[in-house]
Amino acid sequence: MNAHRYFAYTLARICLQSSWEREPMAEAVELSLQGQGPWVNSLIRQVLHRFPRRPGLPALFDFLRQSEGLAAIRLRYQPRICRYPLTLPHVVLPSSLPPLDSVGALCEWLRLAPADLDWFADRSNRAAGHAAPKVRHYHVTTIPKRQGGMRLLEVPKSRLKQIQRRIHDDILLQLPLHPAAQGFVRGRSPVAHAGLHVGQAVVLRFDLRDCFLHVHGGRVFQAFRALGFPEDVSRLLMGLCTHRLPQWLSTQLPLDEVQRQKARQNHLPQGAPSSPLLSHFALRGVDVRLSAYASALGANYSRYADDLVLSGGEHLRHSFRAIEARVGAIVAEEGFALNFRKSRCVSAAQRQQVTGVVVNRQLNVPRVQFDALKAELHNCVQQGWVSQRPTHVADYRAHLLGRIGWVMQVNPQRGAKLRGLFERIDW
């Protein structure tokens, strides 16, 4: 999809998500353009003249794509969509959501004075842009990715993390998720995600690039609006759950230019407890469309965080490059980006892994991983646990129990063998 078609398609989606009247449509477009566009009212009048009643997405897309007026506008003003439309779920809201009908109610619910709420929401970017690290709300650092590049980590300090945890527990956990979205809630674990793809002839794996950086503040704002909260409350909740780096700080970090550009806008911070579920809502459009696409292919689809998986018959292997291109286009149309270097097509003759779990015939842990843990436990029995404890692990007993627990989730029989060895260790 070229730039003009993409602009026309996104503009059509923005218009269709508002009331089919001139003022709400113009407001929605201007919000997505972040105020750019003296031409907006004129274009909206043309749309309403052509479609007195709300059309379908294909019809409106074709009209805008073929519009000479829109082509001239793009040539003259070079507009850029800054806030992408969120595909909002149609849900019955739970009655247990906190009644946050005003800013005062939000202050009372969070037990914050209005000035403190404004400080933590940081809508003016005073804290994020401050030169003193003690003033800023996040610890910012980078770590290397396994396949090259750097990952931006933004970990909220204790008070803001408590606020985000409450938003997560009392608001975000109560909403239903798309069935394809796995992880971050009870019953949707990496093992459950892997279990959806057991015994398939072909497993296709795709990876989203810098997923949280692509979820900008506009998407988070619309997610809270979809929950029924007023606009001023939604903006404050958005501020509490997003972060942006000042330009001077972004240039000091070993990020690429795209990462710097995304990080300077409000985005979901990787490290905040509220970010995973908000990313689920932002990715709903991806899940809806890829579920439908997988169904048309006769395949299964699910997503764990930024890992997209399709599985099915042998025909998927023969069409892998075409499927990869289509998945990449859908992801791009929804405002995200695919990391094509991490795309994989794995047949049943190879080891098929999904979120670290082998899925060829049954759920299993990789043989190398199981053997290494078994050998470590055996050495603990024979030579004493002190000889095996890594220097960076303080509570080695809990460390081993966690690793054994993971194996038991995947393969209880193998896990029981490891647990038997563990019980023989002299602590």
Side-chain angles (χ1 to χ4, degrees):
M1 180 175 285
N2 63 31
H4 181 71
R5 287 170 60 87
Y6 179 58
F7 187 85
Y9 178 85
T10 310
L11 203 62
R13 289 187 59 209
I14 292 166
C15 291
L16 289 171
Q17 287 190 7
S18 69
S19 302
W20 200 248
E21 300 173 358
R22 186 181 63 81
E23 290 187 5
M25 288 170 67
E27 183 178 347
V29 171
E30 288 179 349
L31 178 64
S32 290
L33 298 172
Q34 292 192 340
Q36 313 168 43
W39 47 269
V40 169
N41 283 322
S42 174
L43 181 66
I44 297 301
R45 280 195 293 267
Q46 293 177 34
V47 170
L48 291 174
H49 179 74
R50 173 64 180 81
F51 300 103
R53 295 183 179 179
R54 185 190 302 270
L57 177 59
L60 183 54
F61 168 53
D62 284 341
F63 172 74
L64 292 172
R65 177 175 58 84
Q66 299 171 22
S67 169
E68 293 182 3
L70 182 59
I73 286 167
R74 293 194 67 244
L75 184 63
R76 179 178 178 184
Y77 295 104
Q78 298 182 346
R80 182 172 64 90
I81 294 184
C82 302
R83 293 182 175 180
Y84 293 83
L86 177 68
T87 305
L88 301 177
H90 297 286
V91 298
V92 177
L93 299 178
S95 58
S96 53
L97 278 173
L100 306 179
D101 54 1
S102 67
V103 173
L106 179 61
C107 289
E108 185 176 348
W109 181 66
L110 292 174
R111 298 175 184 174
L112 292 174
D116 292 335
L117 175 60
D118 190 60
W119 171 247
F120 282 115
D122 198 23
R123 290 180 295 177
S124 62
N125 208 32
R126 287 181 300 160
H130 204 282
K134 289 185 177 180
V135 177
R136 300 198 290 267
H137 296 316
Y138 289 84
H139 299 289
V140 178
T141 187
T142 56
I143 59 172
K145 297 180 182 178
R146 268 187 282 181
Q147 296 192 1
M150 302 299 291
R151 186 183 309 280
L152 177 64
L153 294 183
E154 300 159 286
V155 181
K157 295 179 182 177
S158 59
R159 186 66 184 97
L160 180 58
K161 183 178 283 188
Q162 291 173 5
I163 293 170
Q164 292 170 342
R165 174 61 64 185
R166 181 149 197 214
I167 293 171
H168 172 275
D169 292 347
D170 292 357
I171 295 177
L172 301 179
L173 271 180
Q174 298 186 55
L175 289 181
L177 304 176
H178 191 277
Q182 299 294 315
F184 313 123
V185 291
R186 183 173 295 175
R188 300 198 183 195
S189 66
V191 178
H193 171 55
L196 299 172
H197 304 282
V198 171
Q200 298 297 322
V202 174
V203 173
L204 308 183
R205 300 202 315 264
F206 305 99
D207 183 79
L208 296 175
R209 185 171 66 232
D210 297 318
C211 177
F212 283 6
L213 283 176
H214 282 77
V215 183
H216 54 73
R219 288 179 180 269
V220 178
F221 168 74
Q222 290 182 49
F224 285 116
R225 287 289 285 152
L227 296 172
F229 297 120
E231 184 172 327
D232 51 355
V233 172
S234 297
R235 290 196 183 282
L236 286 165
L237 288 169
M238 177 202 74
L240 292 169
C241 296
T242 58
H243 184 229
R244 55 179 169 168
L245 297 183
Q247 184 170 355
W248 64 266
L249 180 55
S250 68
T251 55
Q252 293 178 6
L253 299 172
L255 304 172
D256 62 41
E257 190 52 41
V258 174
Q259 289 175 314
R260 288 194 182 99
Q261 187 178 35
K262 296 290 184 184
R264 288 196 289 264
Q265 301 173 357
N266 270 22
H267 61 273
L268 288 182
Q270 186 159 340
S274 51
S275 291
L277 282 180
L278 284 169
S279 73
H280 270 330
F281 294 128
L283 283 160
R284 187 175 178 86
V286 171
D287 292 335
V288 168
R289 296 179 64 185
L290 287 184
S291 293
Y293 180 51
S295 179
L297 291 171
N300 308 310
Y301 164 73
S302 66
R303 176 182 57 81
Y304 185 87
D306 55 2
D307 296 322
L308 317 175
V309 180
L310 282 82
S311 65
E314 188 65 24
H315 64 287
L316 298 181
R317 183 170 64 86
H318 300 301
S319 305
F320 172 56
R321 290 306 173 192
I323 293 171
E324 180 188 40
R326 183 60 186 148
V327 170
I330 289 172
V331 165
E333 288 165 10
E334 293 295 328
F336 293 86
L338 209 61
N339 186 347
F340 288 95
R341 292 186 304 168
K342 297 182 72 172
S343 298
R344 297 289 184 271
C345 174
V346 188
S347 70
Q350 304 165 284
R351 186 174 67 185
Q352 298 170 326
Q353 281 189 232
V354 175
T355 53
V357 179
V358 177
V359 297
N360 289 68
R361 295 181 182 178
Q362 63 178 18
L363 293 177
N364 216 335
V365 293
R367 183 75 197 190
V368 173
Q369 181 181 333
F370 173 78
D371 288 346
L373 180 53
K374 182 180 176 182
E376 187 175 341
L377 290 168
H378 178 77
N379 289 338
C380 285
V381 174
Q382 297 296 321
Q383 304 170 23
W385 63 269
V386 176
S387 67
Q388 301 299 306
R389 181 176 68 88
T391 55
H392 65 278
V393 175
D395 190 343
Y396 187 46
R397 190 174 190 277
H399 173 75
L400 287 177
L401 282 174
R403 292 165 65 190
I404 294 170
W406 165 250
V407 176
M408 293 194 75
Q409 284 186 61
V410 179
N411 188 322
Q413 187 175 359
R414 282 191 164 185
K417 291 180 180 179
L418 297 177
R419 183 64 193 235
L421 277 173
F422 176 85
E423 297 296 342
R424 293 169 53 193
I425 299 174
D426 183 4
W427 295 99

